Amino acid sequence: MRTSLRSVRGARGALALLAAGTLALSAAGCSDGGTDGGGPPGGGRGTPDAIRQTVRLPQLSGQRLKVTAVWTGAEQKGFTKVLDEFSRRTGAEVAYVPSGDDMSAFVGSKIAGGDPPDVALLQQPGALREFAQKGWLKPLGSEATAELGKNFSKGWQELGSYEGKSYGVYFKVSNKSLVWYNTKVFEGAGAKEPKTWPEFLRTAQLIADYGIGPVSVGGADGWTLTDWFENVYLSQAGPEKYDQLAQHRIPWTDPSVKDALTTLGQLFGGKGLLADGTEGAIQTQFPTSVTQTFTGGEEPKAAMVFEGDFAAANVTGAGARIGKEAKVFPFPAVGAKAPVVTGGDVGVALKDGPAAQALLTFLASPDAAQVWARQGGFLSANRNLGLAAYPDDVLRSIAGAVVAAGDGFRFDMSDLAPASFGGKPGQGEWKDLQDFLKNPGDVAGTQQKLESDAAKAFKS
């Protein structure tokens, strides 16, 4: 969204900070960097597993609340625990319905039918802007706004705003510049964590020669491919070009896009570098791309998988211990600096009423974040969430770096674009990069498709 791009300029310092601070796998004694912020009346801390109550919520007994997000599987389980805590405190009855990947279509159909959900968790700032333009969103109430201002930096607040009004709470965020790897395969192949793109390709070839598919790609979910492109592009072209392309102030036929696609094609088109080849990659969904890297004993399907911190839930779901069978390194530097791309899910109200506003107030608090943080597979930009809430040093390190970045960060480019270009299955950037995965030699044709689709989306 254009109003938020001001907050993602000037991230050069944050890129270095995040890249340097993200992955201290052997970090000792990560401290609890948050504040308690007080407790419930009477000050009862309860058991060690009790969630601190730093925010007052209204009693909502008898009220029903419908909530939608894209989350399924492990993510749905984590979010359900958050909703359960909200229900316990307020007495509201909360029903969760997964939206599927196309949130815009799902919400649009519900609004057309006269029964929208009360609260939706949107993945793209572009979707928030689109919904606000259509008059679908309700501004944050005073309690939610106050909680947001207390716990989040200005940059995250601006990302949840449109034309000066606050609409959203970024509840779940991500560092989307991580590569997870199977330590047994690395040890067997004699591989080491690569720091640059050429080293990454050499490592992949070493593992291929060892007899294991080097890189697992979840190409059936087009958003994973946009993340691949964005990391390569940010590192290679730099932050200023990244901002220009994100706003479509330069076309996708720009030479910088050609360079990034050519670089990415070295992996996608490299013989034997993708698990099950390009045909297998295009049929693999994101959860499978992770689990197949950490199952199969001595012969998993792949040695590495790229994606954000949220992949931790899938890693542990596959039975791998983070820091033991599974480790992680920063996305390799293509240019002078390793990239860091962030993403996030923003909670918005589609209906007026105290229940929807109370849930958004809760989501803006450290209390709600703590519930999910304990489960793993979750990061929060809430600066008052203590790092001790995270279950391991890896996540504490990643989370601490995101919060320490303050207002200086680069948000996922496809999420900043209009949803018709950057956020819909089977069209726009998702489809164009899936076609590129099938035919990574067609750089020029891919650029033309991307520019055509972007031009239509930004004009509308």
Side-chain angles (χ1 to χ4, degrees), residues 15 19 174-179 197 223-239 242 260-261 263-264 306-308 310 329-343 410-414 429 433:
L15 294 177
S174 58
N175 179 335
K176 305 182 82 173
S177 300
L178 307 173
V179 181
W197 185 258
W223 59 267
T224 65
L225 304 181
T226 70
D227 291 348
W228 273 106
F229 172 81
E230 289 155 5
N231 276 274
V232 169
Y233 189 83
L234 177 58
S235 182
Q236 189 171 52
Y242 187 96
L261 289 173
T263 297
L264 191 53
F306 152 73
E307 254 315 329
F310 47 83
F329 58 84
F331 194 96
V334 182
K337 295 181 179 179
V340 172
V341 176
T342 63
R410 281 299 188 282
F411 203 87
D412 183 299
M413 187 188 298
S414 64
E429 193 178 357
L433 290 178

Side-chain angles (χ1 to χ4, degrees), residues 176-194:
K176 305 182 82 173
S177 300
L178 307 173
V179 181
W180 303 82
Y181 68 95
N182 186 311
T183 57
K184 288 184 179 179
V185 176
F186 263 54
E187 290 169 4
K192 299 185 182 299
E193 295 181 2

Side-chain angles (χ1 to χ4, degrees), residues 93-163:
E93 182 180 332
V94 184
Y96 174 77
V97 180
S99 65
D101 281 339
D102 196 339
M103 174 66 78
S104 296
F106 178 84
V107 171
S109 68
K110 295 298 182 182
I111 287 178
D115 186 29
D118 297 88
V119 171
L121 280 293
L122 311 179
Q123 291 182 294
Q124 295 93 15
L128 183 147
R129 179 185 61 194
E130 174 191 335
F131 287 12
Q133 287 174 336
K134 292 179 177 179
W136 291 356
L137 302 186
K138 310 302 178 186
L140 293 181
S142 58
E143 292 85 359
T145 300
E147 196 68 18
L148 185 67
K150 183 170 64 175
N151 298 315
F152 289 83
S153 71
K154 185 178 178 181
W156 289 105
Q157 294 178 52
E158 289 186 354
L159 277 172
S161 301
Y162 177 70
E163 293 188 342

Side-chain angles (χ1 to χ4, degrees), residues 115-427:
D115 186 29
D118 297 88
V119 171
L121 280 293
L122 311 179
Q123 291 182 294
Q124 295 93 15
L128 183 147
R129 179 185 61 194
E130 174 191 335
F131 287 12
Q133 287 174 336
K134 292 179 177 179
W136 291 356
L137 302 186
K138 310 302 178 186
L140 293 181
S142 58
E143 292 85 359
T145 300
E147 196 68 18
L148 185 67
K150 183 170 64 175
N151 298 315
F152 289 83
S153 71
K154 185 178 178 181
W156 289 105
Q157 294 178 52
E158 289 186 354
L159 277 172
S161 301
Y162 177 70
E163 293 188 342
K165 288 186 179 181
S166 294
Y167 289 100
V169 174
Y170 271 89
F171 177 59
K172 185 177 189 289
V173 304
S174 58
N175 179 335
K176 305 182 82 173
S177 300
L178 307 173
V179 181
W180 303 82
Y181 68 95
N182 186 311
T183 57
K184 288 184 179 179
V185 176
F186 263 54
E187 290 169 4
K192 299 185 182 299
E193 295 181 2
K195 298 185 183 301
T196 67
W197 185 258
E199 290 177 3
F200 179 70
L201 294 177
R202 288 196 293 270
T203 299
Q205 186 60 58
L206 179 66
I207 292 168
D209 295 341
Y210 179 65
I212 301 292
V215 181
S216 179
V217 173
D221 292 315
W223 59 267
T224 65
L225 304 181
T226 70
D227 291 348
W228 273 106
F229 172 81
E230 289 155 5
N231 276 274
V232 169
Y233 189 83
L234 177 58
S235 182
Q236 189 171 52
E240 292 182 7
K241 281 280 191 180
Y242 187 96
D243 288 343
Q244 291 170 3
L245 188 61
Q247 298 173 73
H248 201 225
R249 290 194 287 115
I250 58 173
W252 285 78
T253 50
D254 189 84
S256 62
V257 178
K258 176 183 178 181
D259 292 343
L261 289 173
T262 300
T263 297
L264 191 53
Q266 294 172 344
L267 174 67
F268 287 177
K271 186 176 180 181
L273 299 187
L274 300 187
D276 290 332
T278 56
E279 289 298 320
I282 202 66
Q283 298 177 51
T284 301
Q285 295 182 325
F286 163 67
T288 302
S289 72
V290 180
T291 56
Q292 71 181 13
T293 306
F294 298 101
T295 53
E298 299 295 326
E299 295 185 0
K301 279 195 171 183
M304 296 179 280
V305 59
F306 152 73
E307 254 315 329
D309 54 90
F310 47 83
N314 305 90
V315 171
T316 56
R321 294 170 295 174
I322 295 173
K324 299 293 185 180
E325 294 86 6
K327 289 188 178 181
V328 61
F329 58 84
F331 194 96
V334 182
K337 295 181 179 179
V340 172
V341 176
T342 63
D345 298 86
V346 58
V348 296
L350 295 161
K351 283 185 179 179
D352 282 320
Q357 290 294 334
L359 179 57
L360 292 177
T361 301
F362 183 57
L363 295 182
S365 74
D367 308 18
Q370 185 180 357
V371 175
W372 198 343
R374 290 178 172 184
Q375 312 305 314
F378 174 87
L379 283 188
S380 174
N382 191 312
R383 58 194 174 199
N384 288 318
L385 172 66
L387 295 181
Y390 295 97
D392 57 67
D393 284 347
V394 175
L395 286 175
R396 290 181 196 118
S397 180
I398 296 171
V402 170
V403 172
D407 293 334
F409 56 88
R410 281 299 188 282
F411 203 87
D412 183 299
M413 187 188 298
S414 64
D415 289 351
L416 291 168
S420 60
F421 177 65
K424 283 183 177 287
Q427 69 182 66

